Amino acid sequence: MQALQSDHVYAQHNLAVAYHRLGELEAAERWYLISFSQHGNLQSLENLGHVYGDSGREVEGKALVAASDKLYEDQPLNEYEQALIDRLLA
């Protein structure tokens, strides 16, 4: 909890991973989103895509994984990927 309170860069991501492994998809989604939006953690964005896929939102999930890869490689996003990212960060 101290890491979360001190806003440690990986605290939210690691908490999300734990929830994801436990199958607590809503909590995992929330913490991956916080990690990505506050710290720009691309691994959290990719994992969020996997959570989306695990919860039946396969099209969005695949798009988030692709967007994470493209952002990591400094490639442009397509319109759908950009719209998803914009919606997440709104």
Side-chain angles (χ1 to χ4, degrees), residues 22-63:
L22 291 170
E24 299 286 337
L25 299 182
E26 288 182 26
E29 179 178 343
R30 179 174 57 252
W31 288 105
Y32 283 136
L33 180 56
I34 290 169
S35 176
F36 173 65
S37 65
Q38 290 184 356
H39 303 288
N41 187 330
L42 294 178
Q43 185 61 57
S44 290
L45 180 62
E46 179 178 335
N47 289 11
L48 180 60
H50 294 298
V51 168
Y52 274 32
D54 293 346
S55 62
R57 297 175 282 178
E58 294 173 13
V59 172
E60 289 176 310
K62 288 179 181 180

Side-chain angles (χ1 to χ4, degrees), residues 68-76:
S68 172
D69 292 344
K70 288 178 180 179
L71 289 169
Y72 181 76
E73 295 172 1
D74 201 27
Q75 295 179 4

Side-chain angles (χ1 to χ4, degrees), residues 2 4-5 7-10 17 22 26-27 29-31 33 38 47 53 61 63-64 66 68 70 79-80 84 87-88:
Q2 280 183 315
L4 285 174
Q5 291 171 344
D7 202 31
H8 187 272
V9 67
Y10 294 113
V17 168
L22 291 170
E26 288 182 26
E29 179 178 343
R30 179 174 57 252
W31 288 105
L33 180 56
Q38 290 184 356
N47 289 11
L64 289 178
S68 172
K70 288 178 180 179
E79 286 183 35
Y80 182 68
L84 278 175
R87 191 176 79 215
L88 289 174

